[in-house]
């Protein structure tokens, strides 16, 4: 985008990460082909370059992985917490040592700017493993009684917007509390989970404690429905969350669901405008708006609407969209062609319904999946862009006159949702009385 100050390109080197031409499933401590031999390709959203070919798990592979996790559970759950902590500490330290490599990998496979993966995602990933390592020998003091027991095998399904961070949220508490894991990453971002499998081997984690299955929704469904899975942990869309709830109804499986949202920022007439604008930009354009708690709705007190909107437009004109590996980039690529199509369709609907659409002047790259930062003004609660989660760099601006008038739309629920948030910190250990539950 145009800027008063032009920066020389500052791309992070791709040479720090070595991506193999193909990867297998990680089951019982080894990489292995899918039972039916199926594979799929993972591409870089910023260039549509094929990064690697990945094994596509099916029901037979899910069964193998769950059996491996069940076999490993007996010894892993019997370890003292202090011993499990040692493995988690090792994993955390290896993540720190390989953080530059993992940040570049995540940017290539996900499309988000390197400064986000480098400065936000990877430090948080390591911090979560350090944090839960500290909990592993203190579970008696977590508020669930003396000697809380692990649940067993945790089936975990994670989304594409924060692939490695969502993995950390799921796996770290599961291992700390003595459970074993079968995890399925999103099909558009499988690589960081596979690199994590290598970290597990590097840390000497016993075979079968962590298993990684790459694949599509059918693999996730088979994992959720497997009769020997004791706990289902899912982050993703509300629609899939409802389907999971239906599929496990009537079973004794535990479940946690972290679904989408339609967050609102409220700006009153006494707010410092420049500071408010910075909060608004970070709230909706961080990670291209692909965050479930993104501030995708902006409620502005009517008397300052024009002033704030002018300031916000000036600020958006300074954001830099382009190569995610460039350290100057603020807005990276949308994760997939499918997600780009959804964002585009909802934005077009907003315009067709009469909302006023604006984007700063910018040239989108010719290859890859790109969407310019966009805001809609003259929006009402009746507009689709005010109700539906877009899950992209799109902001809807509404006005109000009094605080009481702002409260109902700010707290209202959206109709649909898409993925997850990196902002909330999961609870340390357990959900049910005297039983340890992986988040």
């Amino acid at each position: 985008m145009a800027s008063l100050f032009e920066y020389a390109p500052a791309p992070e080197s791709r040479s720090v990460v070595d991506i193999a031409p193909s990867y297998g499933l990680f089951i019982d401590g080894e990489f292995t082909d899918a039972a039916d031999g199926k594979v799929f390709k993972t591409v870089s959203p910023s260039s549509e370059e094929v990064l690697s070919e990945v094994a596509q798990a099916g029901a037979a592979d899910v069964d193998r992985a769950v059996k491996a996790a069940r076999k490993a559970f007996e010894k892993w759950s019997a370890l003292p917490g202090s011993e499990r902590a040692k493995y988690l500490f090792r994993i955390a330290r290896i993540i720190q040592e390989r953080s530059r490599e993992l940040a570049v990998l995540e940017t290539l496979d996900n499309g988000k700017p390197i400064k986000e993966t480098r400065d936000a995602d990877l430090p948080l990933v390591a911090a979560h493993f350090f944090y839960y390592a500290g909990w592993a020998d203190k579970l008696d003091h977590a508020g669930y009684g003396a000697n809380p027991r692990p649940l067993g095998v945790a089936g975990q399904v994670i989304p594409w917007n924060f692939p490695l961070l969502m993995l950390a949220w799921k796996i770290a508490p599961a291992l700390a509390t003595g459970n074993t894991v079968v995890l399925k990453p999103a099909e558009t971002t499988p690589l960081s989970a596979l690199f994590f499998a290598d970290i597990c081997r590097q840390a000497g984690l016993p075979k079968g404690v962590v298993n990684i299955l790459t694949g599509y929704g059918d693999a996730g469904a088979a994992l959720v429905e497997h009769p020997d899975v004791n706990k289902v942990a899912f982050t993703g869309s509300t629609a899939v969350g409802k389907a999971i709830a239906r599929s496990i109804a009537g079973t004794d499986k535990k479940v946690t669901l972290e679904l989408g949202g339609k967050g609102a920022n409220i700006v009153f007439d006494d707010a410092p405008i420049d500071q408010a604008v910075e909060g608004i930009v970070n709230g909706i354009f961080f990670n291209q708006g692909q965050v479930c708690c993104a501030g995708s709705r902006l409620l502005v007190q009517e008397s300052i609407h024009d002033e704030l909107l002018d300031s916000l437009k000036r600020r958006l004109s300074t954001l830099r969209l382009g190569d995610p590996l460039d350290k100057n980039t603020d807005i990276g690529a949308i994760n997939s062609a499918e997600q780009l199509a959804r964002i585009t369709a909802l934005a077009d609907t907003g315009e067709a319904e009469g909302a006023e659409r604006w984007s700063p002047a910018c040239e989108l790259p010719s290859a890859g999946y790109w969407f310019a930062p966009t805001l809609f003004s003259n929006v009402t609660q009746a507009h689709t862009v005010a109700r539906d989660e877009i899950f992209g760099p799109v902001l809807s601006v509404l006005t109000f006159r009094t605080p009481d008038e702002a409260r109902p739309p700010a707290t209202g629920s959206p109709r649909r949702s898409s993925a997850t948030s990196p902002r909330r910190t999961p609870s340390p250990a357990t959900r049910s009385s005297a039983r340890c539950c992986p988040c």
Side-chain angles (χ1 to χ4, degrees):
M1 297 182 187
S3 171
L4 295 175
F5 302 98
E6 288 300 325
Y7 295 89
E12 178 63 86
S13 173
R14 290 182 55 162
S15 65
V16 300
V17 59
D18 183 16
I19 301 175
S22 63
Y23 289 94
L25 310 172
F26 186 68
I27 299 175
D28 203 19
E30 303 293 339
F31 286 98
T32 179
D33 293 338
D36 58 11
K38 288 185 178 180
V39 297
F40 65 98
K41 299 182 188 304
T42 183
V43 303
S44 179
S46 63
S47 64
E48 301 177 68
E49 167 198 358
V50 175
L51 296 174
S52 187
E53 192 174 72
V54 180
Q56 181 179 333
D61 304 301
V62 170
D63 189 57
R64 278 196 295 155
V66 172
K67 286 178 178 176
R70 176 60 61 193
K71 181 180 177 182
F73 173 71
E74 183 178 352
K75 291 184 178 179
W76 179 252
S77 62
L79 286 178
S82 58
E83 291 299 311
R84 294 197 301 271
K86 291 177 183 178
Y87 289 102
L88 289 167
F89 275 122
R90 286 179 205 155
I91 289 170
R93 287 195 294 268
I94 294 169
I95 288 169
Q96 285 184 322
E97 291 166 3
R98 299 178 63 176
S99 62
R100 186 181 178 197
E101 170 194 10
L102 293 169
V104 172
L105 177 74
E106 199 82 312
T107 288
L108 286 171
D109 206 24
N110 172 275
K112 65 174 66 180
I114 186 67
K115 65 182 180 183
E116 293 182 9
T117 59
R118 179 196 63 195
D119 299 341
D121 292 24
L122 264 297
L124 284 171
V125 171
H128 273 79
F129 278 96
F130 277 124
Y131 176 78
Y132 287 107
W135 267 106
D137 64 349
K138 303 175 184 66
L139 298 177
D140 287 350
H141 310 287
Y144 296 90
N147 193 29
R149 294 173 290 120
L151 291 170
V153 176
Q156 304 176 336
V157 182
I158 60 173
W160 45 259
N161 57 338
F162 293 89
L164 198 55
L165 183 56
M166 295 299 100
L167 176 150
W169 276 28
K170 296 286 189 287
I171 290 181
L175 299 192
T177 50
N179 301 275
T180 54
V181 167
V182 180
L183 178 135
K184 192 200 87 68
E187 60 269 21
T188 58
T189 52
L191 293 183
S192 55
L194 294 169
F195 272 57
F196 179 80
D198 184 59
I199 289 173
C200 289
R201 295 204 300 187
Q202 191 178 347
L205 192 70
K207 292 183 177 183
V209 173
V210 168
N211 304 271
I212 306 292
L213 299 178
T214 50
Y216 289 86
D218 59 332
L223 178 59
V224 168
E225 295 166 4
H226 196 286
D228 204 23
V229 166
N230 304 103
K231 165 66 187 285
V232 173
F234 171 77
T235 297
S237 72
T238 301
V240 175
K242 289 179 178 179
I244 289 173
R246 287 192 295 268
S247 72
I248 66 170
T251 73
D252 62 355
K253 293 178 182 178
K254 306 297 181 182
V255 63
T256 51
L257 304 172
E258 185 190 8
L259 310 177
K262 186 71 175 174
N265 284 323
I266 307 176
V267 182
F268 293 94
D269 57 7
D270 60 348
I273 298 297
D274 290 342
Q275 288 179 317
V277 164
E278 289 305 308
I280 293 163
V281 169
N282 186 59
I284 181 58
F285 298 113
F286 176 78
N287 198 34
Q288 294 70 250
Q290 297 169 151
V291 184
C292 81
C293 62
S296 57
R297 293 179 299 148
L298 174 62
L299 279 69
V300 183
Q301 198 150 13
E302 197 172 83
S303 60
I304 61 166
H305 171 268
D306 292 347
E307 180 186 1
L308 185 138
L309 204 60
D310 288 343
S311 181
L312 182 58
K313 288 180 178 180
R314 286 195 300 271
R315 181 67 179 91
L316 293 188
S317 297
T318 70
L319 296 179
R320 300 177 68 86
L321 179 148
D323 181 8
L325 283 175
D326 192 325
K327 302 179 188 73
N328 298 317
T329 295
D330 300 301
I331 305 291
I334 303 303
N335 179 251
S336 67
E338 180 183 9
Q339 184 61 20
L340 176 60
R342 171 180 166 78
I343 296 168
T344 301
L346 285 169
D348 290 347
T349 297
E351 195 169 14
E353 290 176 349
E356 185 177 336
R357 181 175 181 172
W358 182 89
S359 294
C362 66
E363 183 178 347
L364 301 181
S366 57
Y369 315 126
W370 303 91
F371 196 90
T374 299
L375 63 83
F376 282 96
S377 54
N378 296 325
V379 176
T380 71
Q381 287 296 311
H383 283 99
T384 299
V385 292
R387 301 194 311 269
D388 290 7
E389 185 182 34
I390 299 172
F391 218 66
V394 180
L395 176 66
S396 299
V397 183
L398 301 89
T399 60
F400 66 92
R401 294 180 179 177
T402 67
D404 285 341
E405 187 181 339
R407 190 176 299 115
T411 57
S413 299
R415 295 186 305 180
R416 294 198 296 265
S417 59
S418 273
T420 185
S421 149
R423 300 297 188 187
R424 295 186 294 275
T425 301
S427 60
T430 59
R431 288 278 186 265
S432 61
S433 178
R435 291 180 65 82
C436 293
C437 164
C439 292

